Amino acid sequence: MQKFNNHNGFTIVQAIFIIVVLGMLGTFMVTLSGVQQNIASQALLQTRAYQAARSGLEWGAKSVTDSSLCFAPAVFNLDGYSLSVSCSNLGSYDEAGTSYNVYNL
């Protein structure tokens, strides 16, 4: 009696399945890489914006400390960010016999 192995075409189905799975995995990895790049870029921009705002606040604090007066609103351009710094005097306050001027920057 003769036995026939009728497995013709089964290997091609496996090969196509593996190619499709690897293609989907490759697409997912490329997408994930793009998302990670975008997150890193946004974190850098966030840090730059924070440092620009902090430098404006420190400039305002130094200006008020040096002159004990509010300054006219100032606009700066730092690293692509437009920064506006203004000051308002909230008044003089007495604490334990010592008088302090309080400013809002």
Side-chain angles (χ1 to χ4, degrees), residues 3 17 23 27 36 41 57 60 67 72 77 79-80 93 95 99 101-102:
K3 284 188 168 185
F17 177 75
T27 303
Q36 287 179 338
S41 176
L57 184 60
S67 67
N77 289 316
D79 201 20
Y93 293 94
E95 184 176 313
S99 181
N101 287 327
V102 179

Side-chain angles (χ1 to χ4, degrees), residues 66-89:
D66 287 347
S67 67
S68 296
L69 298 172
C70 274
F71 50 86
V75 177
F76 301 100
N77 289 316
L78 298 171
D79 201 20
Y81 293 95
S82 180
L83 179 66
S84 175
V85 183
S86 62
C87 174
S88 62
N89 188 348

Side-chain angles (χ1 to χ4, degrees), residues 46-69:
Q46 177 185 6
T47 302
R48 286 181 178 173
Y50 171 77
Q51 292 300 332
R54 184 175 174 128
S55 66
L57 184 60
E58 289 181 6
W59 176 85
K62 176 69 173 156
S63 296
V64 168
T65 303
D66 287 347
S67 67
S68 296
L69 298 172

